[in-house]
């Protein structure tokens, strides 16, 4: 570590250590106490951490690190390796890198630019959560992108600056359309960044699946789900400021926590032809009316449950 420049250089070959995430969470700001979708997903990520982890070697200087340089020959950035380096502004990654681990740059609030090498194949859960990246380029070999890896936590609009997503044309797994990330065949929405309140967004007709937490922070004026959509994954639209949303007739599955936290949401409407869900006065129920699935947080007046609800 160079104290004068604030540069931390990592040298060696092969994989970096994975850092003990629980120890970091206990001693820093790495906690999610609101019980929302991010907290639920984070708990699941922690539960999947490998048994062989290490203490962070640079923990005592974490707040002093401004630049990280990872030398050639290193193949992974370990889980939670630079988590909570809140003053980190620049990272240099080697061409030999194949993976960025879970939470590797979690809550690196000052990080505004990073170039992902062509050989990189995977980004773990919460890898760049709360970084302020205005743009990201998905490289040629990328094939796996974890939940909450590119988005922000919403505090002071941290992580809401991502406006441009591009994908290497030779990437076989992903493509970008209107700054949203999709699978190469266009059937799955992988990630939709924060949208301005004036935006009207219509998903392509090819989309059949919205992945878990892919469309969490949505502040568009309107977000149109396509006919042919089959699955709305967990947590989607839970932190949005949409006023209303319409579930198409084709939807077969709606994941847990979807539509549950958007502070502006007043109505959830369902196409009458849908075989699995229905809307009664803007509230989402199962088709047989036995289960209440989501009540819009901004629904006005009294909620009278149908007698069918069990």
């Amino acid at each position: 570590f160079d104290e004068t420049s604030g540069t931390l250089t990592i040298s060696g070959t092969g994989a970096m250590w994975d850092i003990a995430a629980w120890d970091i969470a206990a001693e820093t700001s790495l906690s999610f106490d609101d019980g929302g979708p991010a907290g639920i997903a984070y708990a699941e990520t922690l539960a999947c951490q490998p048994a062989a982890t290490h203490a962070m070697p640079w923990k005592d200087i974490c707040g002093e690190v401004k630049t990280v340089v990872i030398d050639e020959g290193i193949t992974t950035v370990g889980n939670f390796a630079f988590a909570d380096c809140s003053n980190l502004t620049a990272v240099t990654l080697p061409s030999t890198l194949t993976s960025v681990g879970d939470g590797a740059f979690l809550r690196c609030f000052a990080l505004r630019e990073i170039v992902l090498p062509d050989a990189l194949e995977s980004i773990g859960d919460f890898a760049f959560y709360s970084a302020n990246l205005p743009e990201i380029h998905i490289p040629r070999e990328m094939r796996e992108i974890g939940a909450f890896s590119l988005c922000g936590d919403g505090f002071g609009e941290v992580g809401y600056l991502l406006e441009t997503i591009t994908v290497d044309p030779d990437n076989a797994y992903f493509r970008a359309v209107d700054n949203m990330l999709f699978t190469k065949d266009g059937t799955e929405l992988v990630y939709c960044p924060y949208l301005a309140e004036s935006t009207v967004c219509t998903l392509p007709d090819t989309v059949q699946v919205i992945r878990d937490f892919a469309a969490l922070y949505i502040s568009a004026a309107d977000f149109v789900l396509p006919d042919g959509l089959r699955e709305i994954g967990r947590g989607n639209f839970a932190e949005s400021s949409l006023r209303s949303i319409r579930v198409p007739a084709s939807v077969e599955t709606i994941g847990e926590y979807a539509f549950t936290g958007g502070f502006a949401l007043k109505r959830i409407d369902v196409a009458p032809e849908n075989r699995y869900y229905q809307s009664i006065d803007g509230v989402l129920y199962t088709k047989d009316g036995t289960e209440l699935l989501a009540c819009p947080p901004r629904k006005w007046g009294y909620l009278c449950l149908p007698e069918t609800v069990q």
Side-chain angles (χ1 to χ4, degrees):
F1 177 63
D2 185 301
E3 295 183 3
T4 303
S5 64
T7 299
L8 178 64
T9 303
I10 312 298
S11 302
T13 57
M16 287 179 61
W17 283 349
D18 289 321
I19 303 303
W22 283 109
D23 293 340
I24 296 172
E27 299 181 18
T28 71
S29 61
L30 304 184
S31 62
F32 297 84
D33 299 324
D34 61 359
I40 292 162
Y42 188 63
E44 293 173 353
T45 297
L46 291 182
C48 295
Q49 294 308 298
T53 57
H54 301 262
M56 180 184 282
W58 38 84
K59 184 175 71 172
D60 291 341
I61 59 168
C62 196
E64 302 173 38
V65 176
K66 298 178 180 179
T67 303
V68 167
V69 177
I70 301 177
D71 282 352
E72 292 293 321
I74 294 175
T75 57
T76 72
V77 177
N79 294 351
F80 300 95
F82 304 102
D84 224 34
C85 288
S86 57
N87 292 311
L88 177 62
T89 61
V91 177
T92 300
L93 301 175
S95 63
T96 51
L97 195 72
T98 59
S99 73
V100 174
D102 295 338
F105 297 96
L106 173 62
R107 298 209 175 163
C108 292
F109 302 110
L111 184 59
R112 296 180 179 272
E113 182 179 0
I114 195 164
V115 177
L116 303 178
D118 284 341
L120 188 66
E121 298 178 356
S122 66
I123 298 175
D125 297 347
F126 292 90
F128 295 101
Y129 187 77
S130 294
N132 268 301
L133 301 173
E135 59 182 298
I136 194 81
H137 179 72
I138 306 302
R140 183 183 62 236
E141 300 301 324
M142 182 74 72
R143 61 190 67 189
E144 183 178 347
I145 298 176
F148 288 92
S149 58
L150 301 177
C151 66
D153 58 17
F155 294 106
E157 298 192 351
V158 167
Y160 281 175
L161 297 181
L162 185 59
E163 296 179 348
T164 304
I165 301 175
T166 57
V167 179
D168 188 294
D170 293 327
N171 185 291
Y173 302 92
F174 301 106
R175 69 174 177 177
V177 179
D178 295 332
N179 293 327
M180 292 182 286
L181 189 63
F182 299 88
T183 52
K184 190 71 171 185
D185 62 4
T187 60
E188 297 184 33
L189 174 64
V190 178
Y191 179 61
C192 178
Y194 176 83
L195 298 174
E197 294 181 1
S198 60
T199 305
V200 174
C201 179
T202 301
L203 290 184
D205 291 339
T206 56
V207 175
Q208 300 177 20
V209 175
I210 300 177
R211 287 189 180 181
D212 290 351
F213 313 112
L216 181 65
Y217 303 111
I218 305 296
S219 293
D222 195 12
F223 197 91
V224 181
L225 304 179
D227 294 332
L229 182 69
R230 294 185 294 103
E231 180 179 340
I232 299 173
R234 292 190 302 158
N236 285 301
F237 310 106
E239 300 292 340
S240 76
S241 58
L242 293 169
R243 294 181 180 272
S244 64
I245 194 163
R246 182 179 183 275
V247 177
S250 54
V251 171
E252 302 171 0
T253 303
I254 298 176
E256 295 178 304
Y257 324 113
F259 310 115
T260 57
F263 62 87
L265 190 63
K266 294 183 178 181
R267 292 193 61 85
I268 304 169
D269 293 308
V270 180
E273 301 83 8
N274 190 290
R275 296 183 298 164
Y276 303 93
Y277 303 100
Q278 65 170 316
S279 174
I280 301 175
D281 195 22
V283 178
L284 182 65
Y285 298 88
T286 53
K287 189 67 174 183
D288 61 7
T290 60
E291 297 181 45
L292 187 156
L293 300 176
C295 178
R298 294 285 289 181
K299 177 176 171 58
W300 298 106
Y302 293 98
L303 173 63
C304 297
L305 296 182
E307 293 183 358
T308 55
V309 173
Q310 301 176 15

Short mmCIF file of all heavy atoms in Angstrom, two decimals, residues 11-74:
data_model
loop_
_atom_site.label_atom_id
_atom_site.label_comp_id
_atom_site.label_asym_id
_atom_site.label_seq_id
_atom_site.Cartn_x
_atom_site.Cartn_y
_atom_site.Cartn_z
N SER A 11 -0.54 -8.37 -5.97
CA SER A 11 0.33 -9.11 -6.88
C SER A 11 0.25 -10.61 -6.59
O SER A 11 -0.09 -11.02 -5.47
CB SER A 11 1.79 -8.66 -6.72
OG SER A 11 1.92 -7.28 -6.98
N GLY A 12 0.56 -11.40 -7.60
CA GLY A 12 0.57 -12.85 -7.42
C GLY A 12 -0.01 -13.54 -8.63
O GLY A 12 -0.15 -12.95 -9.71
N THR A 13 -0.36 -14.82 -8.46
CA THR A 13 -0.98 -15.60 -9.53
C THR A 13 -2.15 -16.39 -8.97
O THR A 13 -2.19 -16.72 -7.79
CB THR A 13 0.02 -16.58 -10.17
OG1 THR A 13 0.55 -17.44 -9.15
CG2 THR A 13 1.17 -15.84 -10.84
N GLY A 14 -3.12 -16.68 -9.85
CA GLY A 14 -4.26 -17.49 -9.45
C GLY A 14 -5.34 -16.69 -8.74
O GLY A 14 -5.47 -15.48 -8.91
N ALA A 15 -6.09 -17.40 -7.90
CA ALA A 15 -7.28 -16.82 -7.26
C ALA A 15 -6.92 -16.07 -5.98
O ALA A 15 -6.08 -16.52 -5.20
CB ALA A 15 -8.29 -17.91 -6.95
N MET A 16 -7.59 -14.93 -5.76
CA MET A 16 -7.46 -14.22 -4.50
C MET A 16 -8.23 -14.94 -3.41
O MET A 16 -9.12 -15.74 -3.67
CB MET A 16 -8.00 -12.79 -4.63
CG MET A 16 -7.13 -11.84 -5.42
SD MET A 16 -7.90 -10.19 -5.55
CE MET A 16 -7.99 -9.72 -3.82
N TRP A 17 -7.91 -14.60 -2.16
CA TRP A 17 -8.69 -15.10 -1.03
C TRP A 17 -10.12 -14.57 -1.08
O TRP A 17 -10.38 -13.46 -1.54
CB TRP A 17 -8.07 -14.61 0.28
CG TRP A 17 -6.86 -15.34 0.72
CD1 TRP A 17 -6.35 -16.50 0.22
CD2 TRP A 17 -5.98 -14.95 1.77
NE1 TRP A 17 -5.22 -16.86 0.89
CE2 TRP A 17 -4.97 -15.93 1.85
CE3 TRP A 17 -5.95 -13.86 2.65
CZ2 TRP A 17 -3.94 -15.86 2.79
CZ3 TRP A 17 -4.93 -13.79 3.58
CH2 TRP A 17 -3.93 -14.78 3.65
N ASP A 18 -11.04 -15.38 -0.54
CA ASP A 18 -12.38 -14.88 -0.22
C ASP A 18 -12.34 -14.34 1.20
O ASP A 18 -11.76 -14.96 2.10
CB ASP A 18 -13.41 -16.01 -0.30
CG ASP A 18 -13.67 -16.45 -1.73
OD1 ASP A 18 -13.73 -15.58 -2.61
OD2 ASP A 18 -13.83 -17.66 -1.97
N ILE A 19 -12.94 -13.18 1.41
CA ILE A 19 -12.94 -12.53 2.72
C ILE A 19 -14.18 -12.96 3.51
O ILE A 19 -15.25 -13.18 2.94
CB ILE A 19 -12.90 -11.00 2.56
CG1 ILE A 19 -11.68 -10.59 1.72
CG2 ILE A 19 -12.88 -10.30 3.91
CD1 ILE A 19 -10.36 -11.07 2.28
N ALA A 20 -14.02 -13.09 4.82
CA ALA A 20 -15.11 -13.52 5.70
C ALA A 20 -16.17 -12.42 5.77
O ALA A 20 -16.00 -11.42 6.47
CB ALA A 20 -14.58 -13.84 7.09
N ALA A 21 -17.27 -12.61 5.06
CA ALA A 21 -18.30 -11.57 4.95
C ALA A 21 -18.95 -11.27 6.28
O ALA A 21 -19.28 -10.13 6.57
CB ALA A 21 -19.36 -12.02 3.94
N TRP A 22 -19.18 -12.26 7.10
CA TRP A 22 -19.84 -12.02 8.39
C TRP A 22 -19.02 -11.09 9.26
O TRP A 22 -19.54 -10.23 9.95
CB TRP A 22 -20.08 -13.35 9.10
CG TRP A 22 -21.22 -14.12 8.54
CD1 TRP A 22 -21.15 -15.27 7.80
CD2 TRP A 22 -22.61 -13.80 8.61
NE1 TRP A 22 -22.40 -15.68 7.42
CE2 TRP A 22 -23.32 -14.80 7.92
CE3 TRP A 22 -23.33 -12.76 9.20
CZ2 TRP A 22 -24.71 -14.80 7.80
CZ3 TRP A 22 -24.71 -12.75 9.10
CH2 TRP A 22 -25.38 -13.77 8.40
N ASP A 23 -17.69 -11.25 9.25
CA ASP A 23 -16.84 -10.38 10.06
C ASP A 23 -16.92 -8.94 9.58
O ASP A 23 -16.95 -8.00 10.38
CB ASP A 23 -15.39 -10.86 10.00
CG ASP A 23 -15.21 -12.21 10.69
OD1 ASP A 23 -16.08 -12.56 11.51
OD2 ASP A 23 -14.22 -12.89 10.41
N ILE A 24 -16.97 -8.76 8.27
CA ILE A 24 -17.06 -7.41 7.71
C ILE A 24 -18.39 -6.78 8.09
O ILE A 24 -18.45 -5.64 8.56
CB ILE A 24 -16.94 -7.45 6.17
CG1 ILE A 24 -15.55 -7.97 5.76
CG2 ILE A 24 -17.16 -6.08 5.58
CD1 ILE A 24 -15.42 -8.23 4.30
N ALA A 25 -19.46 -7.52 7.95
CA ALA A 25 -20.78 -6.99 8.23
C ALA A 25 -20.92 -6.57 9.68
O ALA A 25 -21.62 -5.61 10.00
CB ALA A 25 -21.85 -8.03 7.88
N ALA A 26 -20.25 -7.28 10.57
CA ALA A 26 -20.37 -6.97 12.00
C ALA A 26 -19.62 -5.71 12.39
O ALA A 26 -19.95 -5.05 13.37
CB ALA A 26 -19.85 -8.15 12.81
N GLU A 27 -18.59 -5.34 11.62
CA GLU A 27 -17.72 -4.25 12.03
C GLU A 27 -17.83 -3.01 11.14
O GLU A 27 -17.21 -2.00 11.41
CB GLU A 27 -16.27 -4.72 12.03
CG GLU A 27 -16.04 -5.86 13.03
CD GLU A 27 -14.59 -6.30 13.04
OE1 GLU A 27 -13.74 -5.52 12.57
OE2 GLU A 27 -14.31 -7.40 13.53
N THR A 28 -18.59 -3.08 10.07
CA THR A 28 -18.71 -1.95 9.16
C THR A 28 -20.18 -1.69 8.88
O THR A 28 -21.06 -2.16 9.58
CB THR A 28 -17.97 -2.23 7.83
OG1 THR A 28 -18.70 -3.21 7.09
CG2 THR A 28 -16.56 -2.73 8.08
N SER A 29 -20.43 -0.94 7.82
CA SER A 29 -21.80 -0.57 7.46
C SER A 29 -22.48 -1.63 6.61
O SER A 29 -23.55 -1.38 6.06
CB SER A 29 -21.78 0.76 6.69
OG SER A 29 -21.03 0.62 5.50
N LEU A 30 -21.89 -2.80 6.48
CA LEU A 30 -22.44 -3.80 5.57
C LEU A 30 -23.59 -4.57 6.24
O LEU A 30 -23.44 -5.70 6.67
CB LEU A 30 -21.35 -4.78 5.13
CG LEU A 30 -20.13 -4.14 4.48
CD1 LEU A 30 -19.18 -5.21 4.01
CD2 LEU A 30 -20.53 -3.26 3.33
N SER A 31 -24.71 -3.94 6.37
CA SER A 31 -25.86 -4.60 6.95
C SER A 31 -27.12 -4.14 6.24
O SER A 31 -27.18 -3.05 5.70
CB SER A 31 -25.95 -4.30 8.45
OG SER A 31 -26.12 -2.91 8.66
N PHE A 32 -28.12 -4.99 6.26
CA PHE A 32 -29.41 -4.69 5.64
C PHE A 32 -30.47 -5.01 6.68
O PHE A 32 -30.78 -6.17 6.91
CB PHE A 32 -29.62 -5.54 4.38
CG PHE A 32 -28.63 -5.28 3.29
CD1 PHE A 32 -27.40 -5.90 3.27
CD2 PHE A 32 -28.94 -4.40 2.26
CE1 PHE A 32 -26.49 -5.66 2.25
CE2 PHE A 32 -28.04 -4.15 1.24
CZ PHE A 32 -26.82 -4.78 1.24
N ASP A 33 -30.98 -3.99 7.30
CA ASP A 33 -31.89 -4.19 8.42
C ASP A 33 -33.35 -3.95 8.09
O ASP A 33 -34.20 -4.10 8.96
CB ASP A 33 -31.49 -3.27 9.59
CG ASP A 33 -30.08 -3.55 10.09
OD1 ASP A 33 -29.69 -4.72 10.09
OD2 ASP A 33 -29.39 -2.58 10.46
N ASP A 34 -33.65 -3.57 6.84
CA ASP A 34 -35.02 -3.17 6.55
C ASP A 34 -35.92 -4.34 6.20
O ASP A 34 -37.13 -4.19 6.09
CB ASP A 34 -35.05 -2.14 5.42
CG ASP A 34 -34.47 -2.67 4.12
OD1 ASP A 34 -34.02 -3.84 4.10
OD2 ASP A 34 -34.45 -1.92 3.13
N GLY A 35 -35.35 -5.54 6.04
CA GLY A 35 -36.15 -6.70 5.72
C GLY A 35 -36.71 -6.69 4.31
O GLY A 35 -37.55 -7.53 3.98
N GLY A 36 -36.26 -5.76 3.47
CA GLY A 36 -36.74 -5.67 2.10
C GLY A 36 -36.06 -6.68 1.19
O GLY A 36 -35.27 -7.53 1.63
N PRO A 37 -36.34 -6.59 -0.13
CA PRO A 37 -35.76 -7.54 -1.08
C PRO A 37 -34.24 -7.60 -1.04
O PRO A 37 -33.65 -8.68 -1.14
CB PRO A 37 -36.26 -7.03 -2.43
CG PRO A 37 -37.53 -6.32 -2.11
CD PRO A 37 -37.31 -5.69 -0.78
N ALA A 38 -33.57 -6.43 -0.88
CA ALA A 38 -32.11 -6.43 -0.83
C ALA A 38 -31.62 -7.21 0.38
O ALA A 38 -30.65 -7.99 0.28
CB ALA A 38 -31.58 -5.00 -0.81
N GLY A 39 -32.25 -7.02 1.52
CA GLY A 39 -31.85 -7.74 2.72
C GLY A 39 -32.06 -9.23 2.59
O GLY A 39 -31.23 -10.03 3.05
N ILE A 40 -33.15 -9.62 1.97
CA ILE A 40 -33.43 -11.04 1.78
C ILE A 40 -32.41 -11.67 0.85
O ILE A 40 -31.86 -12.74 1.13
CB ILE A 40 -34.86 -11.21 1.22
CG1 ILE A 40 -35.87 -10.79 2.29
CG2 ILE A 40 -35.11 -12.63 0.77
CD1 ILE A 40 -37.25 -10.50 1.76
N ALA A 41 -32.12 -10.99 -0.26
CA ALA A 41 -31.14 -11.51 -1.21
C ALA A 41 -29.75 -11.55 -0.59
O ALA A 41 -28.97 -12.49 -0.83
CB ALA A 41 -31.13 -10.66 -2.48
N TYR A 42 -29.41 -10.54 0.22
CA TYR A 42 -28.09 -10.49 0.85
C TYR A 42 -27.93 -11.64 1.83
O TYR A 42 -26.86 -12.27 1.90
CB TYR A 42 -27.90 -9.16 1.55
CG TYR A 42 -26.51 -8.92 2.08
CD1 TYR A 42 -25.42 -8.84 1.21
CD2 TYR A 42 -26.27 -8.78 3.44
CE1 TYR A 42 -24.15 -8.61 1.68
CE2 TYR A 42 -24.98 -8.56 3.92
CZ TYR A 42 -23.93 -8.47 3.04
OH TYR A 42 -22.67 -8.26 3.52
N ALA A 43 -28.96 -11.95 2.60
CA ALA A 43 -28.90 -13.07 3.54
C ALA A 43 -28.68 -14.38 2.79
O ALA A 43 -27.91 -15.26 3.25
CB ALA A 43 -30.18 -13.13 4.35
N GLU A 44 -29.30 -14.53 1.63
CA GLU A 44 -29.11 -15.73 0.83
C GLU A 44 -27.68 -15.82 0.29
O GLU A 44 -27.09 -16.90 0.24
CB GLU A 44 -30.12 -15.75 -0.31
CG GLU A 44 -31.55 -15.91 0.14
CD GLU A 44 -32.55 -15.76 -0.98
OE1 GLU A 44 -32.13 -15.41 -2.11
OE2 GLU A 44 -33.75 -15.99 -0.74
N THR A 45 -27.13 -14.67 -0.08
CA THR A 45 -25.74 -14.65 -0.56
C THR A 45 -24.78 -15.04 0.55
O THR A 45 -23.86 -15.84 0.35
CB THR A 45 -25.38 -13.24 -1.09
OG1 THR A 45 -26.20 -12.95 -2.22
CG2 THR A 45 -23.92 -13.17 -1.52
N LEU A 46 -24.99 -14.51 1.74
CA LEU A 46 -24.13 -14.85 2.88
C LEU A 46 -24.22 -16.33 3.19
O LEU A 46 -23.21 -16.97 3.55
CB LEU A 46 -24.52 -14.04 4.10
CG LEU A 46 -24.23 -12.54 4.07
CD1 LEU A 46 -24.64 -11.90 5.39
CD2 LEU A 46 -22.76 -12.26 3.80
N ALA A 47 -25.40 -16.90 3.07
CA ALA A 47 -25.59 -18.32 3.40
C ALA A 47 -24.84 -19.23 2.44
O ALA A 47 -24.58 -20.40 2.77
CB ALA A 47 -27.08 -18.65 3.39
N CYS A 48 -24.49 -18.72 1.28
CA CYS A 48 -23.80 -19.53 0.25
C CYS A 48 -22.29 -19.32 0.25
O CYS A 48 -21.61 -19.85 -0.64
CB CYS A 48 -24.37 -19.21 -1.12
SG CYS A 48 -26.10 -19.66 -1.33
N GLN A 49 -21.76 -18.56 1.19
CA GLN A 49 -20.32 -18.29 1.18
C GLN A 49 -19.53 -19.55 1.52
O GLN A 49 -19.96 -20.37 2.32
CB GLN A 49 -19.99 -17.17 2.16
CG GLN A 49 -20.56 -15.82 1.78
CD GLN A 49 -20.21 -15.42 0.35
OE1 GLN A 49 -19.05 -15.27 0.00
NE2 GLN A 49 -21.23 -15.30 -0.48
N PRO A 50 -18.34 -19.71 0.91
CA PRO A 50 -17.52 -20.89 1.18
C PRO A 50 -17.02 -20.92 2.62
O PRO A 50 -16.90 -19.88 3.27
CB PRO A 50 -16.36 -20.75 0.19
CG PRO A 50 -16.30 -19.28 -0.11
CD PRO A 50 -17.71 -18.79 -0.05
N ALA A 51 -16.72 -22.11 3.10
CA ALA A 51 -16.24 -22.26 4.47
C ALA A 51 -14.84 -21.69 4.65
O ALA A 51 -14.50 -21.17 5.72
CB ALA A 51 -16.27 -23.73 4.87
N ALA A 52 -14.02 -21.79 3.62
CA ALA A 52 -12.63 -21.32 3.70
C ALA A 52 -12.54 -19.84 3.35
O ALA A 52 -12.45 -19.48 2.18
CB ALA A 52 -11.74 -22.14 2.78
N THR A 53 -12.60 -18.98 4.35
CA THR A 53 -12.48 -17.55 4.14
C THR A 53 -11.41 -16.99 5.06
O THR A 53 -10.92 -17.66 5.95
CB THR A 53 -13.81 -16.82 4.41
OG1 THR A 53 -14.25 -17.12 5.75
CG2 THR A 53 -14.89 -17.25 3.43
N HIS A 54 -11.04 -15.73 4.83
CA HIS A 54 -9.94 -15.10 5.56
C HIS A 54 -10.35 -13.73 6.06
O HIS A 54 -11.30 -13.13 5.55
CB HIS A 54 -8.71 -14.96 4.64
CG HIS A 54 -8.22 -16.26 4.09
ND1 HIS A 54 -7.17 -16.95 4.63
CD2 HIS A 54 -8.65 -17.01 3.03
CE1 HIS A 54 -6.96 -18.06 3.94
NE2 HIS A 54 -7.86 -18.12 2.96
N ALA A 55 -9.63 -13.24 7.03
CA ALA A 55 -9.81 -11.85 7.46
C ALA A 55 -9.26 -10.93 6.37
O ALA A 55 -8.33 -11.29 5.65
CB ALA A 55 -9.08 -11.60 8.77
N MET A 56 -9.83 -9.74 6.23
CA MET A 56 -9.38 -8.80 5.21
C MET A 56 -7.98 -8.29 5.58
O MET A 56 -7.81 -7.63 6.61
CB MET A 56 -10.36 -7.64 5.10
CG MET A 56 -9.96 -6.61 4.05
SD MET A 56 -11.08 -5.17 4.01
CE MET A 56 -12.48 -5.85 3.13
N PRO A 57 -6.97 -8.55 4.75
CA PRO A 57 -5.60 -8.14 5.09
C PRO A 57 -5.43 -6.63 5.21
O PRO A 57 -4.55 -6.17 5.94
CB PRO A 57 -4.76 -8.71 3.93
CG PRO A 57 -5.60 -9.80 3.35
CD PRO A 57 -7.01 -9.36 3.52
N TRP A 58 -6.24 -5.88 4.48
CA TRP A 58 -6.10 -4.41 4.47
C TRP A 58 -7.24 -3.73 5.23
O TRP A 58 -7.55 -2.58 4.98
CB TRP A 58 -6.04 -3.89 3.03
CG TRP A 58 -6.95 -4.62 2.09
CD1 TRP A 58 -8.28 -4.41 1.87
CD2 TRP A 58 -6.59 -5.73 1.28
NE1 TRP A 58 -8.77 -5.30 0.97
CE2 TRP A 58 -7.76 -6.14 0.57
CE3 TRP A 58 -5.40 -6.43 1.06
CZ2 TRP A 58 -7.75 -7.20 -0.32
CZ3 TRP A 58 -5.40 -7.49 0.17
CH2 TRP A 58 -6.57 -7.86 -0.51
N LYS A 59 -7.83 -4.43 6.16
CA LYS A 59 -8.99 -3.88 6.88
C LYS A 59 -8.64 -2.57 7.59
O LYS A 59 -9.44 -1.62 7.59
CB LYS A 59 -9.50 -4.90 7.90
CG LYS A 59 -10.76 -4.43 8.63
CD LYS A 59 -11.32 -5.49 9.54
CE LYS A 59 -10.44 -5.71 10.76
NZ LYS A 59 -11.08 -6.61 11.75
N ASP A 60 -7.47 -2.48 8.18
CA ASP A 60 -7.11 -1.29 8.96
C ASP A 60 -6.91 -0.05 8.09
O ASP A 60 -6.94 1.07 8.60
CB ASP A 60 -5.84 -1.56 9.77
CG ASP A 60 -6.08 -2.58 10.89
OD1 ASP A 60 -7.26 -2.79 11.25
OD2 ASP A 60 -5.10 -3.16 11.37
N ILE A 61 -6.67 -0.24 6.79
CA ILE A 61 -6.46 0.91 5.90
C ILE A 61 -7.58 1.03 4.87
O ILE A 61 -7.47 1.78 3.90
CB ILE A 61 -5.10 0.80 5.17
CG1 ILE A 61 -5.04 -0.49 4.33
CG2 ILE A 61 -3.94 0.87 6.16
CD1 ILE A 61 -3.88 -0.55 3.37
N CYS A 62 -8.66 0.29 5.09
CA CYS A 62 -9.75 0.22 4.11
C CYS A 62 -10.22 1.62 3.70
O CYS A 62 -10.44 1.88 2.52
CB CYS A 62 -10.90 -0.58 4.72
SG CYS A 62 -12.10 -1.14 3.52
N GLY A 63 -10.38 2.51 4.65
CA GLY A 63 -10.87 3.84 4.34
C GLY A 63 -9.87 4.75 3.67
O GLY A 63 -10.23 5.82 3.18
N GLU A 64 -8.61 4.33 3.62
CA GLU A 64 -7.56 5.14 3.00
C GLU A 64 -7.30 4.76 1.55
O GLU A 64 -6.61 5.48 0.83
CB GLU A 64 -6.27 5.00 3.80
CG GLU A 64 -6.39 5.40 5.27
CD GLU A 64 -5.13 5.09 6.05
OE1 GLU A 64 -4.03 5.26 5.47
OE2 GLU A 64 -5.23 4.65 7.20
N VAL A 65 -7.83 3.63 1.13
CA VAL A 65 -7.57 3.14 -0.23
C VAL A 65 -8.35 3.96 -1.24
O VAL A 65 -9.57 4.06 -1.18
CB VAL A 65 -7.95 1.65 -0.36
CG1 VAL A 65 -7.79 1.18 -1.81
CG2 VAL A 65 -7.12 0.80 0.58
N LYS A 66 -7.63 4.56 -2.19
CA LYS A 66 -8.25 5.35 -3.25
C LYS A 66 -8.19 4.64 -4.60
O LYS A 66 -9.05 4.86 -5.46
CB LYS A 66 -7.58 6.72 -3.35
CG LYS A 66 -7.72 7.56 -2.08
CD LYS A 66 -6.99 8.89 -2.23
CE LYS A 66 -7.12 9.73 -0.97
NZ LYS A 66 -6.38 11.02 -1.10
N THR A 67 -7.15 3.86 -4.80
CA THR A 67 -6.96 3.16 -6.07
C THR A 67 -6.55 1.72 -5.79
O THR A 67 -5.75 1.47 -4.89
CB THR A 67 -5.86 3.83 -6.92
OG1 THR A 67 -6.21 5.20 -7.13
CG2 THR A 67 -5.71 3.14 -8.26
N VAL A 68 -7.10 0.79 -6.55
CA VAL A 68 -6.71 -0.62 -6.45
C VAL A 68 -6.16 -1.05 -7.80
O VAL A 68 -6.80 -0.82 -8.84
CB VAL A 68 -7.89 -1.51 -6.05
CG1 VAL A 68 -7.56 -2.99 -6.28
CG2 VAL A 68 -8.27 -1.29 -4.59
N VAL A 69 -4.97 -1.64 -7.79
CA VAL A 69 -4.36 -2.20 -8.99
C VAL A 69 -4.17 -3.69 -8.77
O VAL A 69 -3.46 -4.10 -7.84
CB VAL A 69 -3.01 -1.54 -9.30
CG1 VAL A 69 -2.36 -2.20 -10.52
CG2 VAL A 69 -3.19 -0.04 -9.54
N ILE A 70 -4.80 -4.50 -9.59
CA ILE A 70 -4.67 -5.95 -9.50
C ILE A 70 -3.80 -6.40 -10.68
O ILE A 70 -4.16 -6.20 -11.84
CB ILE A 70 -6.04 -6.64 -9.52
CG1 ILE A 70 -6.88 -6.12 -8.35
CG2 ILE A 70 -5.90 -8.15 -9.45
CD1 ILE A 70 -8.29 -6.67 -8.31
N ASP A 71 -2.66 -6.98 -10.36
CA ASP A 71 -1.66 -7.29 -11.39
C ASP A 71 -2.06 -8.47 -12.27
O ASP A 71 -2.91 -9.30 -11.90
CB ASP A 71 -0.31 -7.59 -10.73
CG ASP A 71 0.41 -6.32 -10.30
OD1 ASP A 71 -0.06 -5.22 -10.66
OD2 ASP A 71 1.45 -6.42 -9.61
N GLU A 72 -1.40 -8.54 -13.43
CA GLU A 72 -1.58 -9.66 -14.36
C GLU A 72 -1.21 -10.98 -13.67
O GLU A 72 -0.31 -11.04 -12.84
CB GLU A 72 -0.69 -9.47 -15.59
CG GLU A 72 -1.11 -8.32 -16.49
CD GLU A 72 -2.45 -8.55 -17.17
OE1 GLU A 72 -2.73 -9.69 -17.57
OE2 GLU A 72 -3.22 -7.58 -17.28
N GLY A 73 -1.94 -12.03 -14.05
CA GLY A 73 -1.72 -13.35 -13.47
C GLY A 73 -2.76 -13.72 -12.43
O GLY A 73 -2.96 -14.90 -12.15
N ILE A 74 -3.43 -12.72 -11.88
CA ILE A 74 -4.49 -12.99 -10.91
C ILE A 74 -5.78 -13.28 -11.67
O ILE A 74 -6.13 -12.60 -12.63
CB ILE A 74 -4.66 -11.79 -9.95
CG1 ILE A 74 -3.39 -11.64 -9.10
CG2 ILE A 74 -5.88 -11.96 -9.07
CD1 ILE A 74 -3.38 -10.44 -8.20
#
